[in-house]
Amino acid sequence: MMNLFKFKRRIVAAVLAVGLLSSVSVTQASEGTSANNLFSGTPAGDLPYHFSAIQFLNGSTGRAAGNGFLLGTSDAGSSWQSIYTGTWQFTQLEFLSNTTGWALARSSRTGPNALIYTSDGGSTFTKIRTGTLELERIHFIDDQNGFGYTRAFAYKTSNGGNTWTKISTLPNTRYANFKDAKNGWILIVVPGFGYKLSRTLDGGETWTTKLSVKSDEISGGEIHTSGSEVWAEFYGGAGMSQQSYSLYASSDNGSNWRKVISQATAGGGAAPGGAEGVVKEGPASPGGHPSNFELVDGAAILGAFSPAGEVIGIGRSLDAGKTWSNLKPIRGYESVISFTSKDLGWMADTSITDSAVYRTTDGGKTWSKKISIPRDRNE
């Protein structure tokens, strides 16, 4: 998931939005519930209340979290209950069931993530000591086995996160994704060239390069897998509140690749890889930034936001990247998504100005607002 934009960049975004909004077809989502009673205290940290993470387990049960709060719903977002209030500022939720889960959360806005665990649905959390590890992402397969990732390294645990073992990766690794203890992928930055994508079948003992992508600028990327399907994002430059990037897809474990998105921008320069993609822009254009990506129910879904255009939205493919559709965005500033099927999903605007959670039942074609943080909490 990408780092949240700082408040001061809103001023720049607002200026850049002038003259750009006319080129964006925007749908205003229907209004939902503002929750004055859920945000009556003082937010954790030095920013107003805002959402920062969401996760839905199924079509009805989910959670939304932010700076000092965790909310839950059991009716698809029609009503919400306060689960936790306190000092944790959440960056990722990783629940396996309605009771058991982990989270990454900070005790200060600019501090490192802590790994915290709950067995009561999130009412209380226990901090798990990770020593010098500063985890940026976590993924648990079951209540004992999981993976943790820092900026450059990958780790595995077999006791619920209480201890971690480093997985052998190649130099200059900047992103890793393991589906189990043996099978994994890494994204490597190659100064002066661009990126390489490599795969292991033996837990990191050996690696095989499966894709090389030339890029004028190197700023990282992401990898996502499901079965034999592999998707990789490669970021180019960023500027003028715009992001250049490319999205590649493989349906056969990396033997063959298709370039799906090739987004070049005036502010960020050329898209990595050179060749044209299925589409020339990603979702939430102009110059949209990708947020998180999900593979679910045969669909590949990419969330995105455009600070310049003041919109959030998704794009998706239902055929492993042969075709791609950028769906009509709604007004917003930043985003994170959680889908439980190709049609049913939620999207949070994680900005501090218009923070809200939306729901779609038609795969992102239309959205309805399910909860919003009252404006007077952000003044």
Side-chain angles (χ1 to χ4, degrees), residues 21-356:
L21 278 175
S22 59
S23 65
V24 183
S25 178
V26 181
T27 297
Q28 181 59 51
S30 59
E31 291 297 326
T33 303
S34 64
N36 287 284
N37 59 321
L38 297 176
F39 299 97
S40 58
T42 302
D46 55 358
L47 292 177
Y49 280 121
H50 63 281
F51 292 107
S52 56
I54 57 173
Q55 184 194 12
F56 274 75
L57 298 173
N58 52 52
S60 59
T61 303
R63 291 169 175 79
N67 50 336
F69 67 92
L70 175 66
L71 308 180
T73 180
S74 58
D75 56 10
S78 295
S79 61
W80 295 84
Q81 302 79 40
S82 175
I83 299 175
Y84 164 88
T85 57
T87 58
W88 290 120
Q89 301 177 54
F90 295 89
T91 60
Q92 183 189 347
L93 302 177
E94 181 72 2
F95 278 77
L96 296 180
S97 69
N98 203 29
T99 58
T100 302
W102 294 259
L104 292 179
R106 296 186 174 101
S107 56
S108 65
R109 179 165 60 90
T110 59
N113 281 321
L115 177 64
I116 56 179
Y117 171 79
T118 182
S119 59
D120 58 11
S123 296
T124 60
F125 285 94
T126 300
K127 182 178 179 180
I128 300 177
R129 297 187 180 278
T130 58
T132 58
L133 288 186
E134 294 187 4
L135 297 173
E136 294 185 352
R137 293 177 291 119
I138 53 174
H139 174 62
F140 280 84
I141 300 171
D142 55 41
D143 62 356
Q144 296 297 314
N145 297 285
F147 299 93
Y149 306 98
T150 63
R151 179 173 180 269
F153 300 108
Y155 300 84
K156 61 183 178 181
T157 181
S158 59
N159 58 9
N162 288 291
T163 58
W164 295 89
T165 301
K166 188 176 181 181
I167 301 173
S168 179
T169 56
L170 298 178
N172 291 326
T173 292
R174 290 297 179 268
Y175 196 95
N177 184 319
F178 277 78
K179 63 175 64 176
D180 57 46
K182 294 293 186 181
N183 295 279
W185 291 82
I186 55 173
L187 182 149
I188 305 161
V189 298
V190 184
F193 173 77
Y195 300 99
K196 290 185 182 293
L197 203 67
S198 296
R199 184 190 185 196
T200 183
L201 299 174
D202 54 18
E205 292 185 19
T206 60
W207 293 91
T208 302
T209 298
K210 305 299 290 188
L211 178 64
S212 297
V213 175
K214 184 174 176 54
S215 183
D216 295 336
E217 293 196 45
I218 303 172
S219 54
E222 298 187 12
I223 309 164
H224 312 276
T225 66
S226 177
S228 61
E229 201 167 333
V230 186
W231 290 73
E233 300 171 51
F234 302 96
Y235 306 142
M240 297 168 58
S241 292
Q242 301 171 350
Q243 175 70 57
S244 296
Y245 69 98
S246 295
L247 178 66
Y248 285 75
S250 172
S251 59
D252 54 11
N253 285 311
S255 296
N256 297 282
W257 293 89
R258 175 180 288 106
K259 192 175 189 181
V260 183
I261 296 176
S262 181
Q263 178 171 294
T265 65
E276 290 188 1
V278 174
V279 296
K280 292 183 178 180
E281 284 188 312
S285 293
H289 297 244
S291 56
N292 60 318
F293 185 100
E294 298 203 330
L295 288 167
V296 57
D297 197 23
I301 306 169
L302 176 64
F305 58 95
S306 172
E310 297 184 6
V311 292
I312 57 178
I314 70 162
R316 68 175 188 168
S317 174
L318 303 178
D319 53 14
K322 294 178 183 178
T323 61
W324 182 270
S325 298
N326 292 318
L327 303 180
K328 187 177 292 186
I330 61 174
R331 294 188 184 279
Y333 294 92
E334 298 171 0
S335 69
V336 61
I337 61 172
S338 178
F339 274 71
T340 57
S341 74
K342 63 182 177 63
D343 294 321
L344 187 58
W346 289 261
M347 177 170 63
D349 182 334
T350 58
S351 70
I352 63 173
T353 52
D354 289 292
S355 209

